[in-house]
């Protein structure tokens, strides 16, 4: 049976690598749009980016692209930044070397050390490309060099929960009343879904279809529904490996109950119902990821407490 300390580390490696990847993608699209559209207010656009990551700034504060880069890219003390997330993933990997393949450790170590300590707006796209490319390498090595045992399952669950959380944050900050093609394409690009959407719908982008695709598509690996179904399957496999799928009350273990309710809420409700109170729905989806994380802690990471 795997040590709870190792399981905890693997889970957070998955979350932090995915967070670094998603943060770099969101910032690349968001900050690039500022240079392409001079009519966008820099301070307001930067404030919107901070809001996605739960970092609120006073309304009177004038925000700059340089400040965003320092706070959300190069700040190694901030686990919500690209460098901070990768630093945290590396520290967790140091304590789980016995279950990580050498290729994964070396790639994660090189990626973290290769990130710049300072970054200027003129060079930000190259830094974002480096981060997303290297995270893709780490993820690819995880998939190709690790057996599908408990370690991989915990890492996979962390990756998927982080993906759902980041998607919900992006959608929560999206203006549903802005149904222009430009706004919809920007949303899809931010979620790394534009090309997949085009291949699925083969036509002009539509705001309602984009929201539906991001939330409900069953085969797009970044949709909320797909990720929740994969989490449920991984939790089921973990429960079987531990010899039981039931808790003391005779019901399925709490993590699966939470995920099952969230997945059913998405799959068996109409899109109109979901968008009726969209901000609250996305807030609930973020709360689901937190609740599942706590349930995993109680079940696997810190069972004695």
């Amino acid at each position: 049976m795997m040590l709870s300390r190792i399981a905890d580390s693997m889970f957070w490696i998955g979350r932090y690598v995915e967070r670094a990847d998603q943060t770099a993608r969101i910032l690349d699209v968001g900050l690039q749009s500022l240079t392409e559209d001079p009519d966008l207010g820099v301070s307001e656009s930067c404030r919107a980016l901070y809001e996605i990551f739960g970092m609120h700034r006073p309304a009177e504060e004038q925000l700059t692209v340089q400040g965003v880069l320092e706070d959300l890219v190069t700040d190694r003390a901030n686990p919500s930044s690209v460098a901070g997330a990768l630093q945290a993933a590396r520290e967790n990997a140091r304590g789980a070397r016995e279950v990580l393949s050498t290729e994964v450790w070396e790639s994660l170590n090189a990626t973290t050390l290769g990130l710049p300590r300072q970054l200027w707006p003129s060079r930000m796209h190259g830094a974002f490309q480096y981060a997303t490319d290297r995270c893709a390498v780490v993820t690819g090595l995880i998939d190709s060099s690790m057996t599908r045992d408990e370690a991989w399952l915990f890492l996979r669950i962390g990756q998927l929960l982080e993906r759902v959380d980041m998607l919900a944050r992006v959608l929560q900050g999206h203006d549903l009343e802005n149904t222009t093609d430009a706004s919809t394409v920007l949303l899809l690009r931010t979620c790394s879904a534009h090309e997949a959407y085009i291949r699925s719908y083969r036509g002009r982008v539509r705001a309602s279809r984009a929201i539906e695709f991001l939330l409900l598509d069953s085969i797009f690996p970044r949709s909320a529904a797909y990720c929740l179904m994969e989490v449920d399957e991984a939790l089921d496999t973990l429960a079987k490996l531990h010899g039981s799928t039931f808790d003391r009350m005779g019901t399925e273990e709490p993590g699966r109950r939470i995920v099952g309710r969230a997945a059913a809420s998405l799959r068996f409700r109409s899109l109109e119902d979901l968008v009726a109170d969209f901000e609250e729905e996305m807030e609930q989806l973020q709360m689901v990821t937190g609740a599942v994380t706590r349930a995993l802690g109680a079940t696997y990471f810190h069972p004695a407490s």
Side-chain angles (χ1 to χ4, degrees), residues 187-303:
L187 172 64
L188 289 169
R189 287 178 56 208
T190 301
C191 299
S192 306
H194 184 223
E195 292 184 0
Y197 172 91
I198 294 297
R199 284 194 292 272
S200 294
Y201 287 95
R202 300 184 183 278
R204 175 183 170 185
V205 294
R206 291 175 52 187
S208 59
R209 281 186 172 180
I211 298 297
E212 182 179 42
F213 183 73
L214 292 171
L215 285 177
L216 305 176
D217 193 87
S218 62
I219 59 175
F220 177 55
R222 294 185 180 275
S223 79
Y226 179 92
C227 290
L228 289 174
M229 288 188 293
E230 288 288 302
V231 170
D232 182 66
E233 183 178 333
L235 288 173
D236 181 48
T237 304
L238 272 178
K240 290 175 180 176
L241 287 174
H242 282 257
S244 175
T245 60
F246 301 95
D247 61 18
R248 295 176 184 174
M249 302 301 293
T251 54
E252 290 182 352
E253 59 97 12
R256 290 202 67 195
R257 290 203 307 270
I258 297 166
V259 172
R261 284 197 300 266
S265 179
L266 285 177
R267 294 177 61 196
F268 301 114
R269 292 166 62 196
S270 66
L271 183 63
E272 291 75 14
D273 188 21
L274 288 172
V275 301
D277 192 0
F278 195 59
E279 187 172 343
E280 177 62 24
E281 291 288 347
M282 295 303 99
E283 184 70 28
Q284 289 295 323
L285 200 52
Q286 293 171 59
M287 292 174 66
V288 164
T289 64
V292 175
T293 299
R294 291 189 294 274
L296 285 169
T299 305
Y300 297 109
F301 306 153
H302 316 291

Side-chain angles (χ1 to χ4, degrees), residues 8 33 39 53 55 150 167 236 261:
D8 189 37
S33 66
D39 293 332
F53 301 100
M55 300 171 65
E150 283 185 274
L167 174 65
D236 181 48
R261 284 197 300 266

Side-chain angles (χ1 to χ4, degrees), residues 30-31 33-35 37-50 61-68 121:
L31 295 179
S33 66
L34 289 176
T35 63
D37 189 349
D39 293 332
L40 290 175
V42 173
S43 187
E44 292 77 10
S45 297
C46 291
R47 182 168 285 105
L49 288 172
Y50 278 115
E61 183 180 355
Q62 290 298 309
L63 304 176
T64 64
V65 172
Q66 184 62 48
V68 171

Side-chain angles (χ1 to χ4, degrees), residues 8-286:
D8 189 37
S9 293
M10 295 302 292
F11 173 80
W12 284 105
I13 291 169
R15 289 205 68 158
Y16 283 129
V17 172
E18 182 67 19
R19 184 178 302 177
D21 178 56
Q22 291 297 306
T23 300
R25 292 173 186 274
I26 291 168
L27 293 178
D28 193 16
V29 174
L31 295 179
Q32 186 66 29
S33 66
L34 289 176
T35 63
E36 295 174 352
D37 189 349
D39 293 332
L40 290 175
V42 173
S43 187
E44 292 77 10
S45 297
C46 291
R47 182 168 285 105
L49 288 172
Y50 278 115
E51 292 286 339
I52 290 174
F53 301 100
M55 300 171 65
H56 306 288
R57 291 292 184 268
E60 65 277 6
E61 183 180 355
Q62 290 298 309
L63 304 176
T64 64
V65 172
Q66 184 62 48
V68 171
L69 295 178
E70 292 172 0
D71 291 334
L72 292 173
V73 181
T74 59
D75 184 2
R76 281 171 161 76
N78 176 17
S80 291
S81 76
V82 177
L86 285 172
Q87 182 73 25
R90 179 175 178 267
E91 290 306 308
N92 277 280
R94 285 167 62 92
R97 287 291 305 277
E98 59 264 43
V99 296
L100 279 176
S101 68
T102 301
E103 293 95 331
V104 172
W105 161 252
E106 290 179 348
S107 181
L108 182 56
N109 188 48
T111 300
T112 305
L113 296 177
L115 287 170
R117 296 279 178 173
Q118 288 184 310
L119 184 60
W120 311 111
S122 60
R123 297 188 175 184
M124 62 183 180
H125 178 69
F128 293 140
Q129 191 68 53
Y130 170 83
T132 55
D133 286 351
R134 293 299 305 177
C135 285
V137 171
V138 173
T139 302
L141 288 171
I142 289 169
D143 284 342
S144 64
S145 65
M146 292 183 61
T147 58
R148 274 31 177 184
D149 56 5
E150 283 185 274
W152 182 86
L153 286 167
F154 282 118
L155 192 150
R156 176 67 172 160
I157 292 169
Q159 178 191 56
L160 292 165
L161 287 178
E162 186 68 26
R163 191 170 291 177
V164 171
D165 183 70
M166 295 294 275
L167 174 65
R169 290 173 181 272
V170 172
L171 290 174
Q172 188 178 35
H174 179 66
D175 183 6
L176 287 180
E177 296 183 359
N178 187 349
T179 59
T180 62
D181 288 358
S183 175
T184 305
V185 169
L186 186 66
L187 172 64
L188 289 169
R189 287 178 56 208
T190 301
C191 299
S192 306
H194 184 223
E195 292 184 0
Y197 172 91
I198 294 297
R199 284 194 292 272
S200 294
Y201 287 95
R202 300 184 183 278
R204 175 183 170 185
V205 294
R206 291 175 52 187
S208 59
R209 281 186 172 180
I211 298 297
E212 182 179 42
F213 183 73
L214 292 171
L215 285 177
L216 305 176
D217 193 87
S218 62
I219 59 175
F220 177 55
R222 294 185 180 275
S223 79
Y226 179 92
C227 290
L228 289 174
M229 288 188 293
E230 288 288 302
V231 170
D232 182 66
E233 183 178 333
L235 288 173
D236 181 48
T237 304
L238 272 178
K240 290 175 180 176
L241 287 174
H242 282 257
S244 175
T245 60
F246 301 95
D247 61 18
R248 295 176 184 174
M249 302 301 293
T251 54
E252 290 182 352
E253 59 97 12
R256 290 202 67 195
R257 290 203 307 270
I258 297 166
V259 172
R261 284 197 300 266
S265 179
L266 285 177
R267 294 177 61 196
F268 301 114
R269 292 166 62 196
S270 66
L271 183 63
E272 291 75 14
D273 188 21
L274 288 172
V275 301
D277 192 0
F278 195 59
E279 187 172 343
E280 177 62 24
E281 291 288 347
M282 295 303 99
E283 184 70 28
Q284 289 295 323
L285 200 52
Q286 293 171 59

